[in-house]
Amino acid sequence: MKIVIITGGSRGIGAATAIACAESGLGVILTYKASPGRAEDVVREIEARGGRAVALPLDVGDVTAFPSFRADVVAALASIWGRADFDYLVNNAGYGLYRPIETVTEAEFDGLYGVHLKGPFFLTQTLLPLMATNGHIVNIVSATSRVATAGVAPYACFKAGLEVLTRYQAKEFGPRGIRANAIAPGPIRTELGGGLSAAFEAVLAGQTALGRVGEAAEVGSVVASLLSEHNRWIDAQTIEVGGGYMI
């Protein structure tokens, strides 16, 4: 059984991705920061559908915690799957902040940077020795790096940085057969940044070719498909999953 690690898997796109990956036959290690109950709900749902999963705590914004997390991963791999390595990493954990540029504080800027760019960079570095040959890294980026949306400048900048990092990961890890791709969700109905108001959802739907916002499951299913062997020749790409957002 191939195994995927998904950060931020207790809700939204992360939870939907965990469920979709389990349904495609993968073992799942999902992480949570502050919602152990919700993470365990996802684990129970996966197990009820016949899959295998475990939830581990992780603050992606705290690089000092990564060695301990790696040890937890090693223990889970051995005890649940009888393996010493894993196959796929989905860097998904994140949060939103809506502020005009002139009001963003240095602390807010640093927090977003830590979770959306620094964290994925060093978490991947920490876990890379445990990744099997012919593995796959999927980074969740954002359509906001393509379409300027007032109020999300730091978030969009770091997601754009993660998108660039994806190509470098593909370049540098290619000799091990490890692919790296990015998924850029468009407007999706999640709790990110406090969720969508009815008025804002209507605006976003009007900017989308298919006339609505997306659901987390519609992103999760694409991630699961990208991880499959059917798509093993896709590498160093950014795939927008947004129903034709702002085209």
Side-chain angles (χ1 to χ4, degrees):
M1 174 180 284
K2 292 187 181 297
I3 299 164
V4 59
I5 298 174
I6 302 166
T7 65
S10 65
R11 60 182 181 174
I13 290 173
T17 298
I19 292 167
C21 287
E23 289 186 334
S24 70
L26 303 182
V28 176
I29 297 174
L30 61 95
T31 79
Y32 64 90
K33 179 184 177 183
S35 303
R38 295 184 66 169
E40 289 301 329
D41 287 343
V42 177
V43 170
R44 281 191 288 269
E45 182 169 351
I46 288 172
E47 291 176 339
R49 300 184 185 197
R52 303 191 74 181
V54 64
L56 299 176
L58 175 68
D59 179 356
V60 176
D62 180 9
V63 174
T64 65
F66 292 175
S68 176
F69 174 70
R70 173 176 162 164
D72 290 343
V73 167
V74 169
L77 288 170
S79 64
I80 299 174
W81 291 282
R83 287 185 57 179
D85 57 7
F86 72 99
D87 302 280
Y88 310 130
L89 172 63
V90 180
N91 286 308
N92 164 78
Y95 67 97
L97 177 74
Y98 297 94
R99 298 275 194 280
I101 291 172
E102 61 266 27
T103 69
V104 175
T105 67
E106 184 177 359
E108 289 169 338
F109 184 96
D110 289 346
L112 289 164
Y113 166 65
V115 169
H116 294 287
L117 185 55
K118 181 180 179 180
F121 185 102
F122 286 103
L123 181 63
T124 302
Q125 182 190 78
T126 300
L127 296 177
L128 190 63
L130 301 179
M131 183 174 284
T133 299
N134 300 321
H136 194 171
I137 299 164
V138 176
N139 295 316
I140 304 301
V141 294
S142 174
T144 58
S145 64
R146 176 180 66 84
V147 178
T149 303
V152 296
Y155 172 89
C157 287
F158 301 135
K159 286 297 191 181
L162 184 57
E163 187 174 339
V164 172
L165 177 61
T166 302
R167 295 194 291 274
Y168 277 84
Q169 290 171 334
K171 184 74 170 181
E172 295 192 15
F173 306 155
R176 287 183 53 193
I178 295 173
R179 296 180 292 137
N181 289 289
I183 296 290
I188 304 294
R189 186 180 290 108
T190 70
E191 299 174 27
L192 185 71
L196 299 176
S197 67
F200 190 35
E201 181 172 328
V203 170
L204 293 172
Q207 296 172 333
T208 303
L210 294 182
R212 63 175 177 86
V213 300
E215 304 294 340
E218 292 175 305
V219 181
S221 63
V222 175
V223 177
S225 175
L226 189 59
L227 292 175
S228 77
E229 289 300 303
H230 298 295
N231 289 313
R232 61 182 175 271
W233 199 235
I234 300 175
D235 195 17
Q237 301 302 305
T238 298
I239 301 169
E240 186 166 317
V241 184
Y245 175 57
M246 293 289 284
I247 56 175

